[in-house]
Amino acid sequence: NAGVTQTPKFQVLKTGQSMTLQCAQDMNHNSMYWYRQDPGMGLRLIYYSASEGTTDKGEVPNGYNVSRLNKREFSLRLESAAPSQTSVYFCASENRANYGYTFGSGTRLTVV
Amino acid sequence: DAKTTQPTSMDCAEGRAANLPCNHSTISGNEYVYWYRQIHSQGPQYIIHGLKNNETNEMASLIITEDRKSSTLILPHATLRDTAVYYCIVRVGHRDDKIIFGKGTRLHILP
């Protein structure tokens, strides 16, 4: 099925551990995005990539790094996880035909 | 800056039309109105978008006022599966304009 695939779906980390959240899309979209969503709140943009080889900061980039490995894949890395990074992380890609976003199903991350 | 204003929550009876309002009084001439929804625990889903004409697709209709300062998303025959948070967003619609989400409207469909 065409769409945005995120892995893992769930993860528990200890404070200070590192991990990479993976995102891949098979729709040949140029732009990709990482958002986080905390309980009862809307989505906040962490980083985005307008095209392969480019990345830019969003609203809440501190504590994260990203890599646009190729056109399909856009990963989000937490170098030293903190409890404040407990959240649900969503990856999205943009359909250039209507500039609508397709979102993945999310990664639920808990940092203890 | 919040570009849109939506009610925090709304109720609608199953089978009736759900009308979700959105105010965007500072919208620019080149900004589109987009609607997304997020069903519990899922990623947001694109519904519809428009510039100034009314739009309809298989999911919903979008009515934009003539002055473009407000719009209404219409779900013609709401079902329980339409229970979700609905986000109204204005954006230029090119790759350099990211989506900034607000709090949205929590729509409850009542059986």
Side-chain angles (χ1 to χ4, degrees):
Chain A
N1 293 334
V4 177
T5 302
Q6 292 184 237
T7 56
K9 293 189 183 303
F10 301 92
Q11 183 70 49
V12 178
L13 289 179
K14 293 182 179 179
T15 298
Q17 286 185 318
S18 63
M19 81 161 293
T20 300
L21 282 64
Q22 306 288 352
C23 175
Q25 52 92 9
D26 58 4
M27 297 171 285
N28 201 36
H29 290 169
N30 289 322
S31 299
M32 297 184 72
Y33 306 82
W34 276 105
Y35 288 85
R36 62 176 286 175
Q37 186 171 35
D38 300 313
M41 297 185 67
L43 289 90
R44 292 184 291 170
L45 180 64
I46 306 171
Y47 270 95
Y48 68 100
S49 171
S51 61
E52 184 179 351
T54 68
T55 60
D56 285 287
K57 295 178 180 180
E59 303 169 85
V60 289
N62 292 343
Y64 306 95
N65 286 301
V66 291
S67 295
R68 183 73 183 269
L69 305 171
N70 47 55
K71 193 171 186 179
R72 290 187 64 249
E73 298 172 289
F74 187 37
S75 62
L76 179 71
R77 182 160 179 83
L78 288 70
E79 291 291 351
S80 179
S84 60
Q85 294 178 305
T86 293
S87 190
V88 181
Y89 292 85
F90 290 102
C91 176
S93 67
E94 183 178 49
N95 181 343
R96 191 61 61 87
N98 62 9
Y99 296 104
Y101 286 14
T102 299
F103 282 83
S105 58
T107 294
R108 283 147 185 80
L109 175 67
T110 301
V111 183
V112 298
Chain B
D1 290 345
K3 289 187 174 182
T4 65
T5 303
Q6 299 178 252
T8 303
S9 66
M10 294 181 63
D11 293 337
C12 179
E14 188 176 18
R16 304 295 295 270
N19 297 282
L20 291 91
C22 180
N23 287 320
H24 31 80
S25 58
T26 61
I27 192 170
S28 301
N30 62 347
E31 287 184 312
Y32 289 75
V33 180
Y34 282 78
W35 283 84
Y36 286 77
R37 73 179 183 184
Q38 186 174 25
I39 296 170
H40 181 63
S41 298
Q42 298 181 20
Q45 176 189 24
Y46 164 84
I47 301 173
I48 199 168
H49 77 287
L51 184 62
K52 49 186 173 183
N53 297 324
N54 298 338
E55 302 287 345
T56 296
N57 63 19
E58 65 279 3
M59 290 183 67
S61 295
L62 174 60
I63 308 299
I64 302 174
T65 57
E66 192 169 343
D67 63 7
R68 301 209 324 123
K69 293 185 176 182
S70 65
S71 61
T72 301
L73 178 75
I74 301 173
L75 309 177
H77 304 286
T79 71
L80 296 177
R81 288 177 295 180
D82 293 320
T83 293
V85 177
Y86 288 77
Y87 297 98
C88 170
I89 295 153
V90 296
R91 64 187 294 242
V92 173
H94 61 65
R95 73 176 196 182
D96 293 327
D97 191 28
K98 291 75 62 185
I99 290 180
I100 303 298
F101 285 85
K103 297 283 182 68
T105 296
R106 187 170 296 275
L107 177 65
H108 300 276
I109 305 300
L110 306 176

